[in-house]
Amino acid sequence: MRLPGLAMLAALLAGPAAAQTPVTVEGLDRGLVNMGLMAGHAFQCLPEADRPAAQQALLAFNSILIAQMGANAAFRFSSSFGAGSSHDVDRQFCERSLADWRKLLQDHNLNR
């Protein structure tokens, strides 16, 4: 799970709007929070047997954040993940949540 640089990470976190507007620190922060919340919700929706592998992938992604963007960015993502994974999940949204998460991982080659 490697990213070729900060530009790729910025595009990932900023989303489609990055093509139209410059990436800002606030936009990256918001992207990290949203991605952490999404990851936390998706993690809760995973079957128990799939959670260890997902946890390893999330830890690897957090390491990339530390290397590319620093500890503050990694903390923002991981604390948002904690928030997203600490509340009760409405199971009717799990299929969509998991599909969105898997698409994000696939689109940005984070599923290795």
Side-chain angles (χ1 to χ4, degrees):
M1 196 165 108
R2 293 182 58 205
L3 290 177
L6 185 57
M8 176 84 153
L9 187 58
L12 165 66
L13 297 175
Q20 300 158 354
T21 59
V23 176
T24 64
V25 172
E26 294 80 19
L28 287 174
D29 287 347
R30 190 172 31 258
L32 285 167
V33 168
N34 290 342
M35 191 172 177
L37 291 169
M38 175 198 267
H41 188 270
F43 184 82
Q44 282 201 74
C45 291
L46 286 172
E48 200 65 40
D50 294 344
R51 288 184 179 188
Q55 185 176 19
Q56 289 301 313
L58 289 163
L59 288 171
F61 179 72
N62 212 39
S63 295
I64 291 169
L65 285 176
I66 290 170
Q68 295 288 329
M69 298 179 71
N72 286 341
F75 176 78
R76 188 162 281 102
F77 171 77
S78 61
S79 61
S80 297
F81 171 80
S85 63
S86 65
H87 61 82
D88 291 333
V89 172
D90 185 346
R91 296 284 173 189
Q92 73 179 5
F93 296 108
C94 277
E95 187 176 325
R96 171 72 187 269
S97 182
L98 287 170
D100 288 347
W101 180 248
R102 288 179 179 131
K103 181 173 179 2
L104 182 116
L105 293 176
Q106 181 180 9
D107 288 352
H108 299 286
N109 294 320
L110 299 173
N111 55 349
R112 298 184 212 190

